[in-house]
C-alpha cells in the first residue's frame, strides 16, 4: 500500500491524519496549482491537446494547471507517475488507450495496475487511424483495389507505424491478418519518419493516427482509402469508413482520458469532470481540437472506465495476433 497516497496527506502536531479531505477543502478545489503529468514528449498530439484543456481549466477554475512531461517506455513512466501520486486532487494527467487498455498485454510487467491505480475523470479526446498509401507507388484508388493489389504483390506488403504495440501497429496487424494479406511491420519512431518512407516507396501503407496525415493527404501525395472511426471524419468527409469501404467490424480509435490516481475524493472528481465538460464542449475548443486532428469528447468517470474495460478484450486479442511483446 502506498502510505503517502492512501493514508497520509500531512501531519498535525506530529500525528498523521486520515486521507479524506474535509468537505470544505473538496468544495474549494482547486485551492492551489494542479500538476498535470503528460506521459509523452512536448509537441506530440497528447501534449498539445492536454495543454489546450489545461489553458482553459486554468482560466475557468482560477488556478494554474502546470504540465510536466514524463515520457518513456510507451507512456508507462508517465502513467506510473500519475498512478502513484498523492490522491489529493492536485496531480492528474492524460491517460491514453495504450496506458490504460493495451500495455498490460504488451509488456511483460507494468509498474502500475491500470485497472486499480487509475481513477478516470472524463474522456478527453479521440482520433481515428487512416489507411494511407503513397500516390506515386501504389496504384489503388480505393480500399477494395488496394486489398486486391496487396494480395497479388510478390513478397507481400510493408506497413509502417510509430512503434511496436502502438494502435497503428496493431491496426495494421489486424488488417493484414483479417484479410489474408502477407504483411511485414516496419516500426519507426513516429510519423515524421513513417511519412518519408511512404513517399519514397520503402513501405506500402500505414494505418496511422490521422492527425499527422491530413496535410500530406490534402497535397495529393498520399491517398486516404479509409478511416477506422465508426462514422466519417469531419475533416475528411470524402473518405469512407472501413465498413463503407468493405471491411466491417473494424472500428479502432486512439483515445485519451483525463485521470487522477485512485483514491481521490468523489466530490473533487465530479468538480473536475464538470469543468472539463464545460471547456471541451465549447465550439471554440471543438474547432481547435479538430484542427489539431482529434475530436474533443467528454464522459462521466463511469463511462470512461466502462470504455477502457470494454476494449481490453479486443486489444488483448490484437496484441496476441501481432506477436508483439516488450520488456
Amino acid at each position: 500500500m502506498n502510505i503517502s497516497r492512501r493514508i497520509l496527506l500531512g501531519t498535525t502536531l506530529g500525528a498523521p491524519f486520515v486521507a479524506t479531505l474535509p468537505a470544505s477543502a473538496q468544495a474549494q478545489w482547486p485551492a492551489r496549482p494542479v500538476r498535470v503529468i503528460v506521459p509523452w514528449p512536448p509537441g506530440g498530439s497528447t501534449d498539445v491537446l492536454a495543454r489546450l484543456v489545461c489553458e482553459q481549466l486554468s482560466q475557468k477554475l482560477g488556478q494554474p494547471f502546470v504540465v510536466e512531461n514524463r515520457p518513456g517506455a510507451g507512456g508507462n513512466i508517465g502513467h506510473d507517475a500519475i498512478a502513484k501520486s498523492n490522491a489529493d486532487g492536485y496531480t492528474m494527467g492524460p491517460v491514453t488507450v495504450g496506458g490504460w487498455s493495451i500495455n498490460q498485454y504488451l509488456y511483460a510487467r507494468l509498474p502500475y495496475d491500470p485497472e486499480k491505480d487509475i481513477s478516470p475523470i472524463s474522456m478527453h479526446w479521440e482520433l481515428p487511424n487512416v489507411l494511407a498509401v503513397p500516390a506515386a507507388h501504389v496504384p489503388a484508388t480505393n480500399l477494395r483495389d488496394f486489398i486486391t493489389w496487396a494480395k497479388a504483390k510478390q513478397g507481400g506488403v510493408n506497413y509502417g507505424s510509430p512503434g511496436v504495440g502502438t494502435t497503428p501497429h496493431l491496426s495494421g496487424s489486424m488488417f493484414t491478418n483479417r484479410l489474408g494479406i502477407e504483411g511485414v511491420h516496419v516500426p519507426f519512431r513516429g510519423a515524421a519518419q513513417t511519412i518519408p518512407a511512404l513517399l519514397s516507396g520503402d513501405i506500402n501503407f500505414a494505418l496511422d493516427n490521422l492527425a499527422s496525415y491530413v496535410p500530406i493527404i490534402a497535397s495529393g501525395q498520399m491517398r486516404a482509402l479509409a478511416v477506422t472511426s465508426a462514422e466519417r471524419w469531419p475533416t475528411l468527409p470524402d473518405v469512407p469508413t472501413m465498413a463503407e469501404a468493405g471491411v466491417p467490424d473494424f472500428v479502432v480509435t486512439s483515445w485519451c482520458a483525463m485521470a487522477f490516481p485512485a483514491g481521490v475524493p468523489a466530490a473533487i472528481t465530479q468538480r473536475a469532470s464538470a469543468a472539463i465538460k464545460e471547456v471541451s464542449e465549447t465550439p471554440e475548443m471543438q474547432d481547435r481540437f479538430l484542427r489539431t486532428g482529434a475530436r474533443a469528447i467528454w464522459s462521466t468517470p463511469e463511462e470512461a472506465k466502462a470504455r477502457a474495460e470494454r476494449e481490453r478484450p479486443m486489444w488483448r486479442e490484437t496484441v496476441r495476433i501481432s506477436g508483439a511483446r516488450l520488456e
Side-chain angles (χ1 to χ4, degrees):
M1 179 178 289
N2 187 324
I3 294 177
S4 63
R5 176 174 150 201
R6 298 181 181 270
I7 300 180
L8 304 180
L9 289 179
T11 58
T12 302
L13 300 177
F17 60 87
V18 181
T20 301
L21 291 172
S24 58
Q26 295 177 32
Q28 293 168 5
W29 181 93
R32 53 186 170 85
V34 178
R35 182 175 62 149
V36 181
I37 297 175
V38 174
W40 303 98
S45 58
T46 303
D47 175 72
V48 170
L49 296 171
R51 289 176 188 271
L52 285 178
V53 167
C54 287
E55 173 188 314
Q56 295 300 310
L57 289 175
S58 295
Q59 293 180 18
K60 177 175 179 54
L61 297 174
Q63 290 290 343
F65 281 69
V66 183
V67 171
E68 176 185 322
N69 296 93
R70 298 285 294 274
N76 290 338
I77 291 174
H79 290 122
D80 183 50
I82 295 168
K84 292 180 179 173
S85 297
N86 289 335
D88 56 6
Y90 288 93
T91 300
M92 59 190 287
V95 177
T96 63
V97 59
W100 213 14
S101 294
I102 298 176
N103 287 358
Q104 64 196 101
Y105 309 117
L106 178 65
Y107 285 82
R109 63 189 65 82
L110 289 182
Y112 65 98
D113 186 330
E115 299 185 41
K116 296 180 180 178
D117 297 341
I118 300 293
S119 179
I121 302 169
S122 165
M123 296 302 297
H124 177 25
W125 56 258
E126 68 175 347
L127 58 87
N129 293 334
V130 59
L131 198 155
V133 299
H137 301 284
V138 174
T141 58
N142 59 65
L143 189 61
R144 288 185 186 276
D145 288 349
F146 174 74
I147 293 169
T148 300
W149 176 84
K151 287 183 176 181
K153 189 175 184 299
Q154 187 69 28
V157 294
N158 299 325
Y159 62 96
S161 84
V164 174
T166 59
T167 61
H169 168 211
L170 298 177
S171 296
S173 174
M174 184 190 306
F175 179 78
T176 53
N177 276 277
R178 181 179 296 182
L179 294 168
I181 296 171
E182 183 180 349
V184 176
H185 174 229
V186 182
F188 294 92
R189 282 189 250 177
Q193 290 183 328
T194 309
I195 289 173
L198 278 162
L199 294 177
S200 68
D202 291 336
I203 56 175
N204 306 118
F205 80 97
L207 250 170
D208 208 341
N209 293 160
L210 173 66
S212 302
Y213 286 75
V214 172
I216 203 76
I217 290 168
S219 75
Q221 295 178 80
M222 283 196 206
R223 297 190 191 101
L225 303 185
V227 291
T228 62
S229 47
E231 300 175 348
R232 294 198 180 198
W233 198 250
T235 56
L236 290 175
D238 296 329
V239 178
T241 65
M242 279 285 192
E244 291 174 330
V247 182
D249 301 321
F250 201 107
V251 177
V252 179
T253 58
S254 294
W255 52 260
C256 183
M258 276 292 182
F260 284 130
V264 169
I268 291 178
T269 299
Q270 293 300 328
R271 179 162 165 75
S273 182
I276 291 173
K277 183 179 192 295
E278 288 189 32
V279 302
S280 67
E281 292 186 345
T282 64
E284 177 190 6
M285 187 63 76
Q286 291 284 323
D287 180 65
R288 291 177 74 180
F289 268 60
L290 279 176
R291 284 190 279 114
T292 306
R295 192 196 325 253
I297 57 176
W298 177 85
S299 73
T300 65
E302 294 76 19
E303 288 168 340
K305 183 177 181 180
R307 179 168 183 172
E309 292 174 346
R310 184 172 64 250
E311 291 193 7
R312 283 188 183 117
M314 177 191 74
W315 289 120
R316 181 175 59 240
E317 179 63 9
T318 305
V319 170
R320 186 193 67 78
I321 290 171
S322 75
R325 192 68 173 167
L326 296 172
E327 293 298 325

